[in-house]
């Protein structure tokens, strides 16, 4: 059976919940690795957002942008994240993490991968590189789960109700 435009997709996380539980267990282990490596939670979330931007995963972007804003990140830095190369708003450590995120997500040719890794090594410890690599690998997997399943993004009420009269529904569709 084929799925045409607008037809529902199989929610693979629901169809095989035991596999999805294993992915969630991996995510918990990755979170622990980032804590053990001493990585700032907002740095990890910036990496999650950048990976999700590259993969065009609306569902994961919705979750991680919301969580990052709630965690205290500035809207300006999130807004310019796709152009992080062209701004001085990010620290050398953040730039190294974002370089690693882009390299492990897009898998450029060997020469570029070596340059990216060498840059990351200048600003990150071995523990940080390893933990961030696992963050990136796990985020890529979650992106693919949501993209394949077409997990929906529900509109949320704007923070400024005067923008649209507050007519949009609130809430996130639970997975």
């Amino acid at each position: 059976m084929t799925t045409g435009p607008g037809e529902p997709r199989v929610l693979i996380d629901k169809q095989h919940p035991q596999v999805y539980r294993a992915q969630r267990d991996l995510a918990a282990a990755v979170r622990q690795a980032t804590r053990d490596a001493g990585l700032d939670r907002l740095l990890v979330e910036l990496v999650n957002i950048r990976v999700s931007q590259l993969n065009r995963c609306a569902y994961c972007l919705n979750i991680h942008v919301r969580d990052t804003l709630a965690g205290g990140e500035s809207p300006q830095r999130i807004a310019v994240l796709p152009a992080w190369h062209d701004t001085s708003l990010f620290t050398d450590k953040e730039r190294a993490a974002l370089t690693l995120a882009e390299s492990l997500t897009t898998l450029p040719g060997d020469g570029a991968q070596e340059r990216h890794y060498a840059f990351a090594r200048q600003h990150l410890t071995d523990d940080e590189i390893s933990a961030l690599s696992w963050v990136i690998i796990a985020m890529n997997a979650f992106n693919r789960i949501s993209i394949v399943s077409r997990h929906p993004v529900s509109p949320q009420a704007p923070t400024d109700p005067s923008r649209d009269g507050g007519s949009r529904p609130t809430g996130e569709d639970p997975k």
Side-chain angles (χ1 to χ4, degrees), residues 4-163:
E7 290 185 43
R9 294 271 185 107
V10 173
L11 298 173
I12 65 172
D13 51 327
K14 305 290 187 213
Q15 193 68 31
H16 287 95
Q18 72 283 9
V19 178
Y20 189 67
R21 273 192 302 277
Q23 178 68 25
R24 303 267 318 201
D25 290 345
L26 171 66
V30 169
R31 274 191 302 280
Q32 185 60 53
T34 64
R35 285 191 293 269
D36 292 347
L39 289 168
D40 179 72
R41 187 72 203 147
L42 288 178
L43 170 66
V44 172
E45 286 301 326
L46 286 174
V47 167
N48 284 332
I49 292 169
R50 187 64 190 130
V51 170
S52 297
Q53 288 171 337
L54 292 167
N55 289 324
R56 299 178 51 209
C57 182
Y59 186 83
C60 293
L61 281 167
N62 186 55
I63 290 169
H64 290 283
V65 167
R66 181 188 61 213
D67 291 351
T68 305
L69 287 169
E73 184 56 80
S74 77
Q76 179 190 27
R77 283 176 23 113
I78 292 173
V80 301
L81 189 56
W84 68 268
H85 294 273
D86 302 320
T87 179
S88 61
L89 294 176
F90 299 93
T91 67
D92 287 341
K93 186 173 192 169
E94 290 167 336
R95 289 175 167 294
L98 294 168
T99 297
L100 196 60
E102 290 183 1
S103 189
L104 294 180
T105 299
T106 63
L107 299 174
D110 288 340
Q113 284 183 22
E114 289 304 317
R115 286 189 306 279
H116 298 160
Y117 195 80
F119 178 71
R121 296 274 327 219
Q122 292 175 7
H123 302 285
L124 300 167
T125 67
D126 289 352
D127 279 348
E128 291 170 333
I129 288 173
S130 179
L132 284 167
S133 294
W134 280 111
V135 167
I136 296 158
I137 291 165
M139 193 71 250
N140 273 289
F142 276 114
N143 286 169
R144 279 145 181 80
I145 292 165
S146 290
I147 291 166
V148 166
S149 300
R150 286 195 185 147
H151 288 144
V153 176
S154 298
Q156 295 177 328
T159 54
D160 178 4
S162 66
R163 288 181 49 201

